[in-house]
Amino acid sequence: MRKTFLILSYIFTALSILFSVLPLDTLAFAPIGIAIIFLVLTFLKSEVNQRTWVKRLFIVTYLCAMVVVVKTFFFKDEVAVDQQFEQQKIETKQEAKKELEELEGLE
């Protein structure tokens, strides 16, 4: 049973790392929480000399949780208006109107 919990802990810790790097905000807490549950179960099933990897995985999962908290509360996503694109869009509309007026004038 310990090996099963350890394998699941590895899998969900890897998912925690992946989700904490991606811009998923608080959705990353799902694999982090599951990883912590499996890590606690693995820790309880392990003997004292077998707990080193479990402790290391717990540290990694804890750091992933801290990264998600910092990204969520301290970095705000902002959408910047691209003035050059907006100007180009206006010019394209004006050119299209001129071309339509020229085509109407030919008929």
Side-chain angles (χ1 to χ4, degrees), residues 8 10-11 15-16 25 28-29 33 36 39 43 45 49 61-62 76 79 85 88 90 95-96 99 101 103-104 106:
L8 289 172
Y10 276 121
I11 291 170
L15 285 174
S16 299
D25 286 340
F29 283 123
I36 289 174
L39 285 168
F43 187 81
K45 294 285 183 179
N49 60 351
T61 307
Y62 178 76
K76 300 295 178 194
V79 178
F85 176 72
Q88 187 179 14
I90 292 170
E95 290 175 9
E99 288 178 6
E101 288 173 356
L103 286 175
E104 288 177 358
L106 291 176

Side-chain angles (χ1 to χ4, degrees), residues 25-38:
D25 286 340
T26 56
L27 185 65
F29 283 123
I32 290 172
I34 296 170
I36 289 174
I37 290 170
F38 282 121

Side-chain angles (χ1 to χ4, degrees), residues 45-64:
K45 294 285 183 179
S46 300
E47 294 182 18
V48 176
N49 60 351
Q50 296 176 329
R51 292 180 176 173
T52 56
W53 278 106
V54 178
K55 290 177 184 178
R56 290 176 185 170
L57 289 176
F58 183 75
I59 291 170
V60 170
T61 307
Y62 178 76
L63 290 175
C64 289

